[in-house]
């Protein structure tokens, strides 16, 4: 089955700095890569996603890049703010009906004011 | 529009007791999932239901059973709880086709402690 590795497990940055979280996946059939943000005590929520026919996607301060050949994808957050502090999960799935998502172990991001 | 609702929010069990976690969604989604979340281990899929009437095992199905009661409801049962099942459980649903992506909508979570 699919295996997703996520690094780093913890990340601390100063407000205004950039943060990068990286994930690798094992199944070359995976073609959908979402990122979820989970604030303390809350449910995970989708923040951005990318499909395998796209190399990069941006949404304001967040961006995701995908390298299909190397089987890795990354989340980039620019101009970080304290409210970006949360646990971020990457996931990989085959984008079909009920495509099972395999999650990375999560990255705890702390943005210091 | 409530989204995904799961009950109970908190539960304490003794080893060997049984219980059922309930989940309902009002988004007319076809697919529903149960994940467990343990510290440092991300979200692991227990069981899923691609559509009403079908269920399949995920990564960590041992010790659990599920029922897809109808399109809205998907329950998770622990027949004989063990301390290793202490975790936070999330129900989720998805509708492939919306923007062409299998986006998961999660419930608020159920924190289960087995003593």
């Amino acid at each position: 089955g699919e295996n997703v590795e996520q690094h780093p497990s913890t990340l601390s940055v100063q407000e205004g700095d950039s943060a990068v979280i990286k994930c690798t996946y094992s199944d070359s059939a995976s073609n959908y890569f979402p990122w979820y943000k989970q604030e303390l005590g809350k449910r995970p929520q989708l923040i951005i996603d990318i499909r395998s026919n796209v190399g990069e996607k941006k949404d304001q301060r967040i961006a995701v890049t995908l390298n299909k050949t190397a089987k890795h994808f990354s989340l980039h957050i620019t101009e970080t703010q304290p409210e970006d502090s949360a646990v971020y999960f990457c996931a990989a799935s085959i984008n079909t009906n009920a495509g099972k998502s395999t999650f990375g172990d999560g990255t705890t991001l702390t943005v210091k004011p | 529009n409530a989204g995904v609702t799961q009950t109970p929010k908190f539960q304490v069990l003794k080893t060997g007791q049984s219980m059922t976690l309930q989940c309902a969604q009002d988004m007319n989604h076809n697919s529903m999932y149960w994940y467990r979340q343990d510290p440092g281990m991300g979200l692991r899929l227990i069981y899923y239901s691609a559509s009403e009437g079908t269920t399949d095992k995920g990564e960590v199905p041992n010790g659990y059973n599920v029922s897809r009661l109808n399109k809205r409801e998907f329950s998770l049962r622990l027949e004989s709880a063990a301390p290793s099942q202490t975790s936070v459980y999330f129900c989720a649903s998805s509708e492939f086709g919306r923007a062409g992506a299998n986006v998961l909508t999660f419930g608020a979570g159920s924190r289960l402690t087995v003593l």
Side-chain angles (χ1 to χ4, degrees):
Chain A
E2 176 65 276
N3 182 50
V4 176
E5 294 190 358
Q6 182 173 345
H7 300 281
S9 56
T10 60
L11 180 59
S12 181
V13 300
Q14 288 295 134
E15 183 177 358
D17 286 350
S18 295
V20 180
I21 302 170
K22 298 182 179 181
C23 289
T24 60
Y25 62 99
S26 61
D27 189 346
S28 57
S30 290
N31 58 4
Y32 176 63
F33 308 94
W35 287 87
Y36 290 84
K37 175 183 180 183
Q38 185 179 28
E39 296 176 352
L40 190 61
K42 301 289 181 63
R43 72 194 76 190
Q45 292 191 295
L46 180 78
I47 54 171
I48 195 168
D49 56 11
I50 191 167
R51 276 167 260 172
S52 59
N53 59 347
V54 175
E56 183 176 3
K57 183 177 178 181
K58 288 184 181 179
D59 183 3
Q60 299 183 335
R61 295 187 298 107
I62 60 173
V64 58
T65 58
L66 171 66
N67 183 326
K68 279 182 58 180
T69 303
K71 296 203 193 91
H72 66 70
F73 57 112
S74 301
L75 178 71
H76 304 252
I77 306 174
T78 59
E79 300 172 20
T80 53
Q81 301 166 3
E83 51 266 37
D84 294 329
S85 295
V87 179
Y88 292 82
F89 293 98
C90 63
S93 70
I94 300 172
N95 199 32
T96 62
N97 192 26
K100 296 176 290 180
S101 296
T102 301
F103 285 80
D105 288 343
T107 296
T108 301
L109 173 65
T110 303
V111 180
K112 300 178 194 174
Chain B
N1 213 0
V4 179
T5 303
Q6 53 181 111
T7 57
K9 285 186 167 44
F10 302 94
Q11 184 72 49
V12 178
L13 291 176
K14 294 181 180 178
T15 297
Q17 287 185 318
S18 62
M19 77 158 298
T20 300
L21 298 175
Q22 307 284 357
C23 177
Q25 52 92 7
D26 61 4
M27 296 172 287
N28 203 34
H29 285 174
N30 279 326
S31 304
M32 298 186 73
Y33 311 80
W34 277 105
Y35 284 89
R36 61 177 287 174
Q37 183 175 31
D38 301 297
M41 297 186 73
L43 293 148
R44 292 183 293 168
L45 183 64
I46 304 171
Y47 270 93
Y48 70 103
S49 171
S51 59
E52 185 178 355
T54 69
T55 60
D56 281 291
K57 295 178 180 179
E59 302 170 64
V60 289
N62 291 345
Y64 305 95
N65 285 301
V66 291
S67 295
R68 183 75 182 266
L69 304 170
N70 48 55
K71 190 171 185 179
R72 290 186 64 247
E73 299 172 287
F74 188 40
S75 63
L76 178 71
R77 182 160 179 84
L78 288 70
E79 291 290 352
S80 179
S84 61
Q85 294 177 305
T86 293
S87 189
V88 179
Y89 291 85
F90 285 97
C91 178
S93 68
S94 73
E95 181 62 35
F96 176 75
R98 186 174 67 189
N102 197 25
V103 176
L104 295 173
T105 300
F106 286 90
S110 299
R111 184 174 294 275
L112 175 65
T113 301
V114 183
L115 303 175

